[in-house]
DNA sequence: ACGGCGCCTG
DNA sequence: CAGGCGCCGT
């Protein structure tokens, strides 16, 4: 049993799932060995202190079949310090097998989910609930009972024994009751054999269906969900262990109970999270029919100030944010009134073709138009004899290989996704921000836009024609229909960073091409609407070609191109930071964003 | 420490 | 397009 039998450990901020650990390893787990933020944990294994970090996989290459005993869910309380610093610490390697990659793909969402779970746990339990934890050697019966009652109570009302009033405190006081323990174990068994899997979400399945060894039997998803508890045990190789032996000794039984209880807590928290996610039907349908579902929220927006539940009203957000509040722009009153008008028009919804390029209608047309335009552009230009630039373009592409990636992209409003209150997301982005339970409910009422959509992206691209370096204020003004959080702000800033990146790459590419062509004349450096450079930029920022690019952008593009041309021709590109001087020039050429961008709704 | 930016990578 | 990282200014 000394052989390392780690299969894998997934660790989020809220839980540690150790598959294939031996009981000895896990019994050495010290709940107190958690740092205050709950982002890492240490425990004792084979004489070493294993430090576990979030978003990492831990496992050894040992034989998966050997020594597999159980799977532990070690729920981490949020208090305690890492007190084991004096022992050698080893961070286990993470060779990232395929299963890990699969998990990692959704790690972002799981991390968010884990933080939600943390919040809920913070509401439903208090730190230090686990008292002596699962330290088997020190485990006493009383501890287990105590933990049992304390943990179950707030989370599982359905199955709790609530026959008598005040039984809760009473049961805590009543410590040594073996019969009670047995009864409880029976209840747990019954419970796990009747788990209602219908409420399970895909995510929670992923979380609870532990990554397994390759020799695990192939099981269909539905099969795997018939009994999550026993099934997961099967996955860990419980069949190979004499199950009955496990119940022979009392310490083992106690450990199993602790196991079961922690698992139950994990499930309960997971369900709580699910219920929160599911308790927002408006948010879920909001994506599909933005205009329609806005209406119930909007009905009294203009008439009654006290009932401002509009999802476009950023002014009436009192105290829903803690840290990011300073980022919320105070909108002028004019905005509110104009929004009422806009919303009224939206309610009427009788605009056959909206002039607003960010409207839902135009978004729907975008695909067709872009496809048509793309074909048109290709027909008009590319079908002719390949220009010299295209040859250069191919060369440039070979020089600057920038792999096209599958776009993770922003959530499309047409995709039915589980939506979260942006304020909640804010808290997810700021794990140290704890939301009170009542404010959590309040946040739902003041929910604005759930996040940035593809239409927001489209709008941002069009804004780029005016401003390459938008200030945070401009972003907030132009995207006032989203609840501004740090995450949203960062995302918008990142978008423009990406836009600039593409912009400058194109500039450098065309400047080098012009230089190679030996075109020192200014005419060739001119950027007109028919120029290759402009068409490349237009295809990127205005794919649907339904937006009239301002003339100023052409001027700025021309200046940029010349700056690049001059710099390259002067050999400044030998300096690694030669572009910075150009950036400094270009950033001063930003224009004001038209009022339409500030007043119109993106969605 | 934090935010913003640019570069690199996937 | 997003994440990570390093740099820089505040």
């Amino acid at each position: 049993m000394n052989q390392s039998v780690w299969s894998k450990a997934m660790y989020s901020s809220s839980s540690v799932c150790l598959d294939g650990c031996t009981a000895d390893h896990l019994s050495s787990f010290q709940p107190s060995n958690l740092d205050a933020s709950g982002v890492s944990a240490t425990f004792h294994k084979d004489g070493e202190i294993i430090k576990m970090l979030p978003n990492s996989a831990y496992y050894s290459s040992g034989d998966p079949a050997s020594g597999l005993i159980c799977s532990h869910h070690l729920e981490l309380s949020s208090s305690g310090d890492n007190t084991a610093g004096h022992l050698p610490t080893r961070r286990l390697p993470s060779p990232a097998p395929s299963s890990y990659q699969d998990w990692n793909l959704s790690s972002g969402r799981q991390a968010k989910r884990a933080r939600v779970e943390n919040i809920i746990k913070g509401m439903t339990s208090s730190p230090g609930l686990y008292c002596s934890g699962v330290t088997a050697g020190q485990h006493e019966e009383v501890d287990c009972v105590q933990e049992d009652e304390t943990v179950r109570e707030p989370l599982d009302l359905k199955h709790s024994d609530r026959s008598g009033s005040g039984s809760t405190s009473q049961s805590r006081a009543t410590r040594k009751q073996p019969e009670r323990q047995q009864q409880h174990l029976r209840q747990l068994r019954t419970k796990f054999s009747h788990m209602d899997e219908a409420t399970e979400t895909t995510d929670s399945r992923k979380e609870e269906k532990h990554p397994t060894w390759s020799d695990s039997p192939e099981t269909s998803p539905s099969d795997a969900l018939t009994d999550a508890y026993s099934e997961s045990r099967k996955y860990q190789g419980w069949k190979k262990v004499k199950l009955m032996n496990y119940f022979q000794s009392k310490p083992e039984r106690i450990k199993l109970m602790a196991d079961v209880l922690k698992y139950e807590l994990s499930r309960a928290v997971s369900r709580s999270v699910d219920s929160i996610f599911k308790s927002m039907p408006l948010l879920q349908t909001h994506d599909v029919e933005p205009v329609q579902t806005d209406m119930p929220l909007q009905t009294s927006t203009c008439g009654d100030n006290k009932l401002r539940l509009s999802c476009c009203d950023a002014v009436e957000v009192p105290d829903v944010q803690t840290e990011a509040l300073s980022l919320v722009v105070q909108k002028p009153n004019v905005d509110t009134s104009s929004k009422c008008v806009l919303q009224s028009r939206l309610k009427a919804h009788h605009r056959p073709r909206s002039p607003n390029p960010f409207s839902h209608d135009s978004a729907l047309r975008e695909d067709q138009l872009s496809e048509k335009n793309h074909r048109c552009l290709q027909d008009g230009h590319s079908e002719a004899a390949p220009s010299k630039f295209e040859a250069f373009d191919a060369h440039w592409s070979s020089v600057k290989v920038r792999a096209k990636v599958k776009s993770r992209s922003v959530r499309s409003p047409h995709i039915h996704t589980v939506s979260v209150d942006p304020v909640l997301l804010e808290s997810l982005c700021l794990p140290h921000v704890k939301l009170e339970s009542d404010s959590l409910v309040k946040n739902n009422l003041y929910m604005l836009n759930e996040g940035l959509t593809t239409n927001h992206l489209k709008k941002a691209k069009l804004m780029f024609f005016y401003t390459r370096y938008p200030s945070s204020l401009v972003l907030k003004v132009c995207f006032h229909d989203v609840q501004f959080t740090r995450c949203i702000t960062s995302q918008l800033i990142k978008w423009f960073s990406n836009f600039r990146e593409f912009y400058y790459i194109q500039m450098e590419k065309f400047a080098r091409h012009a230089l190679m062509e030996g075109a020192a004349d200014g005419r060739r450096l001119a950027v007109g609407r028919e120029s290759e450079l402009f068409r490349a930029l237009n295809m990127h920022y205005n794919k649907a070609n339904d937006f009239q690019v301002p003339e100023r952008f052409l001027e700025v593009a021309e200046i940029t191109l010349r700056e690049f041309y001059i710099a390259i021709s002067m050999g400044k590109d030998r300096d690694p930071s030669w572009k910075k001087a150009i950036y400094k020039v270009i950033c001063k050429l930003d224009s004001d964003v038209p009022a339409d961008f500030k007043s119109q709704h993106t969605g």
Side-chain angles (χ1 to χ4, degrees):
Chain A
M1 200 66 75
N2 286 333
Q3 173 79 15
S4 294
V5 291
W6 289 58
S7 65
K8 185 170 185 176
M10 289 198 312
Y11 173 48
S12 74
S13 60
S14 66
S15 65
V16 177
C17 313
L18 304 171
D19 294 346
C21 289
T22 66
D24 289 338
H25 299 153
L26 293 166
S27 66
S28 70
F29 177 82
Q30 297 292 337
S32 60
N33 288 345
L34 300 171
D35 67 7
S37 61
V39 296
S40 70
T42 61
F43 63 94
H44 187 212
K45 175 182 174 294
D46 295 342
E48 291 183 88
I49 288 296
I50 307 302
K51 188 173 183 67
M52 304 185 66
L53 297 173
N55 299 331
S56 299
Y58 302 86
Y59 70 101
S60 81
S61 56
D63 177 11
S66 67
L68 286 175
I69 288 186
C70 64
S71 167
H72 279 236
H73 279 244
L74 303 177
E75 296 297 333
L76 309 181
S77 64
S78 59
S79 64
D81 296 320
N82 191 337
T83 57
H86 59 283
L87 287 173
T89 302
R90 180 164 65 98
R91 182 171 174 182
L92 296 175
S94 53
S98 59
S99 57
Y100 166 72
Q101 290 171 344
D102 292 340
W103 174 79
N104 198 32
L105 284 176
S106 58
S107 62
R109 187 165 178 180
Q110 290 197 2
K112 288 177 181 177
R113 183 189 182 87
R115 293 188 190 118
V116 176
E117 293 177 358
N118 251 356
I119 292 170
I120 292 174
K121 268 189 277 189
M123 298 188 300
T124 55
S125 64
S126 58
L129 273 181
Y130 297 111
C131 45
S132 60
V134 289
T135 313
Q138 310 156 355
H139 225 343
E140 300 212 358
E141 205 172 338
V142 289
D143 296 327
C144 201
V145 173
Q146 185 180 11
E147 172 186 349
D148 167 342
E149 296 292 336
T150 317
V151 171
R152 284 185 75 244
E153 190 184 352
L155 294 174
D156 193 351
L157 302 176
K158 188 178 172 183
H159 292 72
S160 289
D161 180 11
R162 297 185 173 274
S163 53
S165 64
S167 63
T168 302
S169 55
Q170 187 68 26
S171 60
R172 283 177 189 160
T174 312
R175 299 212 156 185
K176 299 211 170 187
Q177 293 185 357
E179 314 92 302
R180 191 181 171 81
Q181 204 174 345
Q182 292 290 344
Q183 181 189 0
H184 192 73
L185 187 57
R186 281 196 299 272
Q187 286 178 353
L188 283 175
R189 286 174 186 152
T190 307
K191 173 178 170 57
F192 283 120
S193 62
H194 291 91
M195 275 181 179
D196 179 15
E197 299 299 334
T199 60
E200 287 295 314
T201 64
T202 308
D203 274 9
S204 61
R205 290 174 197 176
K206 277 184 187 173
E207 275 184 2
E208 291 164 15
K209 192 174 141 190
H210 302 172
T212 55
W213 296 91
S214 55
D215 62 350
S216 297
E218 285 293 323
T219 313
S220 72
S222 57
D223 290 341
L225 290 168
T226 52
D227 188 327
Y229 178 72
S230 62
E231 203 64 28
S232 67
R233 268 18 183 196
K234 288 177 192 171
Y235 268 84
Q236 315 314 323
W238 262 43
K239 281 180 179 178
K240 301 172 185 173
V241 182
K242 302 283 191 280
L243 186 63
M244 293 311 295
N245 291 344
Y246 208 67
F247 291 89
Q248 282 177 353
S249 61
K250 196 163 68 176
E252 296 294 328
R253 196 174 64 233
I254 293 172
K255 275 197 289 184
L256 174 67
M257 282 190 62
D259 227 13
V260 169
L261 291 167
K262 292 174 193 314
Y263 179 82
E264 185 186 8
L265 175 61
S266 177
R267 283 191 60 87
V269 170
S270 181
R271 284 181 179 178
S272 301
V273 175
D274 289 343
S275 67
I276 287 180
F277 277 65
K278 287 174 179 174
S279 66
M280 296 186 285
L282 278 177
L283 301 185
Q284 291 186 24
T285 54
H286 180 78
D287 278 346
V288 185
E289 293 287 337
V291 175
Q292 301 268 347
T293 51
D294 276 355
M295 290 170 62
L297 286 174
Q298 303 290 339
T299 45
S300 57
T301 300
C302 298
D304 188 351
N305 285 338
K306 290 180 181 178
L307 291 177
R308 284 189 189 279
L309 307 183
S310 160
C311 50
C312 65
D313 197 332
V315 180
E316 306 291 319
V317 183
D319 305 323
V320 295
Q321 283 184 300
T322 51
E323 283 204 29
L325 190 59
S326 60
L327 293 174
V328 178
V329 65
Q330 291 292 332
K331 287 189 305 177
N333 293 333
V334 180
D335 250 72
T336 309
S337 57
S338 66
K339 228 174 339 196
C340 292
V341 176
L342 178 60
Q343 287 303 319
S344 301
R345 275 190 285 161
L346 282 175
K347 269 185 271 185
H349 200 245
H350 286 324
R351 293 175 300 164
R353 276 180 83 97
S354 168
N356 178 7
F358 324 121
S359 70
H360 191 60
D361 298 345
S362 76
L364 290 174
R365 281 184 288 124
E366 181 178 354
D367 288 342
Q368 309 159 358
L369 280 174
S370 64
E371 193 180 357
K372 201 163 69 180
N373 275 303
H374 188 68
R375 209 184 312 126
C376 180
L377 284 173
Q378 290 217 331
D379 290 347
H381 302 276
S382 299
E383 266 192 9
S387 66
K388 293 176 185 173
F389 173 76
E390 280 165 346
F392 171 80
D393 189 35
H395 170 71
W396 175 266
S397 300
S398 68
V399 174
K400 282 217 164 192
V401 177
R402 298 184 65 85
K404 284 194 174 180
V405 230
K406 53 194 180 301
S407 175
R408 286 185 288 271
S409 83
V410 293
R411 282 169 295 161
S412 166
H414 311 296
I415 296 176
H416 191 85
T417 56
V418 177
S419 310
V420 190
D421 185 341
V423 183
L424 188 58
L425 285 177
E426 159 77 356
S427 73
L428 299 178
C429 298
L430 301 169
H432 54 288
V433 176
K434 286 276 182 183
L435 291 173
E436 298 297 328
S437 57
D438 55 343
S439 68
L440 199 69
V441 176
K442 224 191 302 181
N443 289 337
N444 289 332
L445 302 178
Y446 295 100
M447 190 268 306
L448 300 180
N449 199 304
E450 62 168 293
L452 295 170
T453 64
T454 49
N455 276 346
H456 289 117
L457 177 61
K458 184 181 176 183
K459 181 177 183 177
K461 285 183 172 180
L462 297 184
M463 283 173 60
F464 186 79
F465 285 129
Y466 298 92
T467 171
R468 268 63 59 188
Y469 296 84
S471 66
S472 295
L473 184 65
V474 169
L475 292 176
K476 286 163 192 165
V477 170
C478 294
F479 296 94
H480 54 72
D481 59 333
V482 295
Q483 174 76 281
F484 261 78
T485 65
R486 287 183 182 178
C487 293
I488 298 294
T489 307
S490 299
Q491 191 178 4
L492 282 170
I493 289 173
K494 183 64 178 177
W495 280 0
F496 278 87
S497 176
N498 288 332
F499 299 162
R500 284 193 300 270
E501 191 176 23
F502 179 83
Y503 176 81
Y504 288 127
I505 286 174
Q506 295 301 310
M507 292 299 167
E508 183 182 356
K509 183 170 74 173
F510 279 82
R512 292 189 183 278
H513 175 249
L515 198 65
M516 271 184 56
E517 290 288 299
D521 58 315
R523 211 180 53 181
R524 193 146 175 100
L525 283 178
V527 178
R529 294 184 186 273
E530 299 305 316
S531 65
E532 301 255 8
L533 174 57
F534 175 77
R535 287 197 288 114
L537 296 172
N538 195 49
M539 274 299 294
H540 191 72
Y541 306 116
N542 183 26
K543 206 165 197 170
N545 202 25
D546 54 357
F547 183 79
Q548 178 71 14
V549 179
E551 197 66 29
R552 175 63 178 165
F553 177 76
L554 295 171
E555 298 172 11
V556 174
E558 197 170 298
I559 294 172
T560 311
L561 182 62
R562 286 173 179 167
E563 287 288 334
F564 269 92
Y565 182 89
I566 294 170
I568 295 171
S569 62
M570 292 175 66
K572 288 182 179 177
D573 56 342
R574 285 191 292 263
D575 180 5
S577 58
W578 65 285
K579 292 178 184 174
K580 284 186 179 178
I582 302 177
Y583 299 158
K584 204 172 178 179
V585 172
I586 303 306
C587 73
K588 295 174 182 172
L589 303 179
D590 277 8
S591 313
D592 276 345
V593 178
D596 277 355
F597 285 84
K598 300 172 183 174
S599 60
Q600 287 179 342
H601 264 267
T602 315

